[in-house]
Amino acid sequence: MALDSKTEIAPYNAPVKDLYEIGEMPPLGHVPKQMYAWAIRRERHGEPDQSFQKEVVDTWEIDSSEVLVLVMAAGVNYNGVWAGLGVPISPFDGHGAPYHIAGSDASGIVWKVGDKVTRWKVGDEVVIHCNQDDGDDEECNGGDPMFSPSQRIWGYETPDGSFAQFTRVQAQQLMPRPKHLTWEESACYTLTLATAYRMLFGHHPHELKPGQNVLVWGASGGLGSYAIQLINTAGANAIGVISDESKREFVMSMGAKGVINRNEFKCWGQLPTVNTPEYNEWLKEARKFGKAIWEITGKGVSVDMVFEHPGEATFPVSALVCKKGGMVVICAGTSGFNCTFDVRYMWMHQKRLQGSHFAHLKQASAANKLMIERRLDPCMSEVFGWEEIPAAHVKMLRNEHKPGNMAVLVQAPRTGLRTFEEALAG
């Protein structure tokens, strides 16, 4: 018997209106003229409680290859924080729309399809991956769509993200929703899981292999918790790094081989000038950190891969502790963008420094299949209501959120619901 089977939405009665309140369901397939959204405007750039404001806006029109999705729940990630701050870039410098709706993760129901869409129909339950492209260049046709000149991230580089009752996406962004998960669990994982999947398995010849060792920064967060699980599922060994001792048990429960608390070391931030007394002190502490890794992997056994995303605060150490011929793979700079390192250890030890950005559909689908097959836990930590969307992003900005991934309810009226019928019943 299949783990997930397709179901049809039973007929129900609902009034035809031009605007519905949050949690109020339109008739299946009826697109109201307007919708509620948390909108960002250029003049409001700042922390999320300032930049995010609730507005009534026109519901999106779709073209022939696009889909309109009724958003049941959405995920919270750093794209929303960056969009609100306008840092490292303002989304308005890219798409030029008058307002920006953030949100790069969602679960929901297909509500309208373009004329050329054949794989999806109204009523399908879906999750959304956040990569878009125009589909008409060499990289999109035989190469890597993430290298396409038209590649962009939905909800950050496009104005039509998931913090609204409806979102507009390309049909190729849709994937089946794991039916064993709630709407909010389904909404919280795709961006971080697919990002982690590409980092670990997407950069030949350094794809993760059984028995290898991987250092995972921020091991209790959204990215880190999926990295730990994927590494464990692949038969490799994850060494998780935390900055709060209370998170050790969570990281170990995800399958880490060992955990290191980085607060026990003093080698963070930009690299001091090489061969100064400050550098020598940094090197002493960094090697002490390396020995803590060996206490987990075995004496002299350095990590094959470093799973990087803090950036500025940790990158010098990452470049040092990675083994000869190994790879430091980085997808973000949550602690800062000015990454420094001692290049001697890179060229003489022939290490690879690899940038990684989200994932293409095949990678995202492979990761999603692991979730459908129940091989992974969504690691949902907190759920917020519609009115709390700015507050959820403030918690992320200030690193006050709990271990795992955060979700917010949009059209789902409460937590714990797994079907549209349950949502209709309230």
Side-chain angles (χ1 to χ4, degrees), residues 12-13 23 25 72 411-414 417 419-426:
Y12 63 96
N13 294 319
M25 301 299 179
M72 296 297 285
Q411 284 297 97
R414 57 183 173 85
L417 306 179
T419 68
F420 186 62
E421 286 73 19
E422 289 177 337
L424 285 172

Side-chain angles (χ1 to χ4, degrees), residues 43-63:
E43 62 270 19
R44 292 201 297 259
H45 272 324
E47 294 200 355
D49 52 356
Q50 168 189 317
S51 54
F52 284 69
Q53 296 292 328
K54 190 166 52 178
E55 297 185 21
V56 174
V57 299
D58 290 343
T59 305
W60 302 109
E61 298 287 341
I62 61 171
D63 75 10

Side-chain angles (χ1 to χ4, degrees), residues 241-262:
V241 183
I242 58 173
S243 56
D244 182 343
E245 192 60 33
S246 67
K247 298 176 180 178
R248 180 181 295 270
E249 184 177 348
F250 171 79
V251 174
M252 291 298 292
S253 73
M254 290 294 102
K257 184 175 182 179
V259 175
I260 301 171
N261 188 335
R262 72 184 185 98

Side-chain angles (χ1 to χ4, degrees), residues 267 278-288 320 345:
C267 46
E278 293 79 13
Y279 172 84
N280 294 335
E281 186 62 30
W282 172 87
L283 187 60
K284 179 180 177 181
E285 279 291 305
R287 284 178 170 165
K288 181 181 172 185
L320 177 71
Y345 289 95

Side-chain angles (χ1 to χ4, degrees), residues 1-6 372 374:
M1 180 179 177
L3 289 171
D4 284 337
S5 57
K6 290 188 176 182
I372 289 173
R374 311 185 190 197

Side-chain angles (χ1 to χ4, degrees), residues 81-104:
V81 175
W82 285 328
L85 293 172
V87 174
I89 61 170
S90 169
F92 298 100
D93 293 338
H95 58 63
Y99 57 85
H100 178 83
I101 301 171
S104 300

